[in-house]
Amino acid sequence: MAVNEDALLTEQMAYYRARAPEYDRVYAEREDLRELLTVVDDLPIAGDVLELACGTGQWTGALAARASSVTAVDASPEVLGIAQARTASADVRFERVDVFNWQPPRRYDTVFFAFWLSHVPPSRLGDFWNTVAAALAPHGKAIFIDEGPSAAAREDVAAEVRRLDDGSEYRIVKVFHDPEELTGELAELGWSADIRTREEFFVGIAEPRSATFT
């Protein structure tokens, strides 16, 4: 049965708004996620940074320690409130933004997103990376982290069901990318990417190959 992507994305946004009070629990429970946070120290994060889908700010503070400034955006005001309370830095500002319906008003040296690419429907992958390219300054880099393909078989659009503590259920997009295949997909979209696995995760660094900046 065909999936109504607009409805699915609306439900995904509702899920993350409702999940905001529970969101940080997974970091408390999983040592591998807490260790993964330290990978920021080894990545070429510099200058003005745009963080897409910042969630509750688990990554924002680490980015701020490496950046001149951080603009952290998310569609959920509930998680943004938590992120603002967690991040005490004058160099960080938060904005409510739906990445699927937004164009960046300026350019950044680094665009960062963790555990977001897997929530982008394959049919919107090209548009999403066009948005990332529009946000990058000349010689800027996109840096991204996500789960690898081992957790589930790939589907065109994986409408995965998630349940919250109150028993409510929501469908979300969940696409598990294979790093090698993703590198090829990005090449077709005009990007040069280096994607490496780190246990159950992958870490990618990408640059537009032939973008024209104005």
Side-chain angles (χ1 to χ4, degrees):
M1 184 175 64
V3 175
N4 183 321
E5 286 187 3
D6 289 334
L8 182 58
L9 291 174
T10 297
E11 193 168 339
Q12 175 170 272
M13 187 186 300
Y15 167 72
Y16 280 104
R17 295 189 66 176
R19 187 191 168 195
E22 305 173 22
Y23 187 90
D24 289 333
R25 183 187 305 161
V26 66
Y27 283 88
E29 294 174 344
R30 291 184 56 176
E31 183 179 358
D32 59 344
L33 281 176
R34 296 194 301 274
E35 291 179 351
L36 187 64
L37 290 168
T38 64
V39 76
V40 169
D41 295 334
D42 301 321
L43 294 172
I45 293 165
D48 294 326
V49 175
L50 172 66
E51 182 184 9
L52 301 177
C54 67
T56 59
Q58 286 283 351
W59 298 85
T60 311
L63 296 174
R66 302 287 306 279
S68 301
S69 71
V70 177
T71 300
V73 304
D74 200 285
S76 165
E78 291 80 2
V79 298
L80 285 172
I82 296 171
Q84 286 178 301
R86 163 178 278 135
T87 309
S89 173
D91 296 323
V92 178
R93 67 188 184 97
F94 295 90
E95 295 182 17
R96 184 181 179 186
V97 161
D98 178 0
V99 174
F100 293 116
N101 297 289
W102 176 73
Q103 283 297 311
R106 52 159 295 189
R107 298 187 186 275
Y108 300 84
D109 302 297
T110 308
V111 176
F112 177 90
F113 40 102
F115 300 106
W116 171 247
L117 190 61
S118 56
H119 296 309
V120 177
S123 66
R124 304 193 185 203
L125 193 67
D127 288 341
F128 170 72
W129 282 98
N130 285 340
T131 298
V132 175
L136 280 175
H139 311 297
K141 292 179 172 59
I143 298 173
F144 50 100
I145 297 169
D146 219 309
E147 296 172 273
S150 60
R154 295 187 63 191
E155 301 179 31
D156 289 338
V157 176
E160 185 174 282
V161 176
R162 297 281 182 90
R163 176 177 292 181
L164 298 177
D165 286 352
D166 64 4
S168 59
E169 293 185 343
Y170 299 82
R171 297 174 309 151
I172 66 166
V173 175
K174 195 64 179 176
V175 180
F176 296 89
H177 292 280
D178 175 84
E180 184 175 349
E181 292 181 10
L182 180 58
T183 300
E185 290 170 351
L186 288 175
E188 292 178 0
L189 294 172
W191 291 79
S192 175
D194 179 10
I195 306 175
R196 303 186 182 188
T197 57
R198 183 184 173 107
E199 298 180 352
E200 296 182 9
F201 312 103
F202 63 75
V203 179
I205 302 171
E207 296 180 77
R209 282 196 316 231
S210 57
T212 301
F213 298 95
T214 59

